[in-house]
Amino acid sequence: MSFPKNFYLGGATAANQYEGGWNEGGRGPAMTDVTTGATKDTPRYGTYRNADGTTGKMSMFGGTLPEGAEYACLDGYFYPNHIGTDFYHHYKEDIALFAQMGFKMFRTSISWPRIYPNGNDEKPNQEGLDFYRSVFEELHKYGIEPLVTISHYDDPLYMEEKLGGWQNRETNGLYEKYCHSIFEEYKDLVKYLRH
């Protein structure tokens, strides 16, 4: 049995889980960056700092941030998304391995806070745009087609914390601006996009 000529063999990732470089290249924080690791006995928590400097954690399933508190990364907790598989620093090596495996397509996502660190920034972060351009160019170098997820649980933390996230209609306009930016930037490199 063989695959049809136009069959795309590949793999899939999500920026918030594997990319790393969470506070590099002008990237802003996302909710996943203040979310701890879990075990079979311990759930993931969101960590925060109160206005008086005390700290705490809350359940990521139905927990509520205390009034006046702000999400924060705290000492003594493991945040797995900070490093992931460190694709941010090793994408060229990783893509070369994908090519060796025979990948013809690679599904990835773009980290919204790498493009707009707060979500409502006036202009996109050029370092973020350049990073993904380099990733897509590297994929094409090996004949690998990028399939890009526009947003994969990686919204800018500022929008969640200060604007109320998707419950605030302003977020729709910010998302539209973000989409327009990446569509324009990568129109020559990415044929397949999804939300």
Side-chain angles (χ1 to χ4, degrees), residues 3-115:
F3 292 114
K5 186 178 179 182
N6 61 350
F7 183 82
Y8 282 117
L9 174 69
T13 61
N16 66 8
Q17 296 171 336
Y18 83 102
E19 192 172 277
W22 75 283
N23 61 353
E24 297 180 58
R27 183 185 180 278
M31 181 64 77
T32 53
D33 298 319
V34 295
T35 303
T36 65
T39 67
K40 69 178 186 68
D41 300 316
T42 307
R44 297 189 85 176
Y45 291 103
T47 54
Y48 59 86
R49 186 177 317 282
N50 290 305
D52 65 4
T54 59
T55 61
K57 63 184 181 181
M58 62 179 206
S59 170
M60 292 308 294
F61 303 101
T64 305
L65 189 65
E67 190 171 331
E70 292 188 347
Y71 289 106
C73 297
L74 306 174
D75 292 337
Y77 290 96
F78 173 57
Y79 301 94
N81 300 30
H82 287 192
I83 298 173
T85 64
D86 203 17
F87 184 78
Y88 185 73
H89 296 107
H90 298 280
Y91 68 92
K92 290 186 178 185
E93 300 155 58
D94 291 349
I95 291 170
L97 290 172
F98 300 158
Q100 287 180 21
M101 293 168 60
F103 279 21
K104 295 297 177 197
M105 180 169 274
F106 176 59
R107 200 230 10 132
T108 188
S109 64
I110 293 178
S111 174
W112 186 350
R114 194 171 294 288
I115 305 302

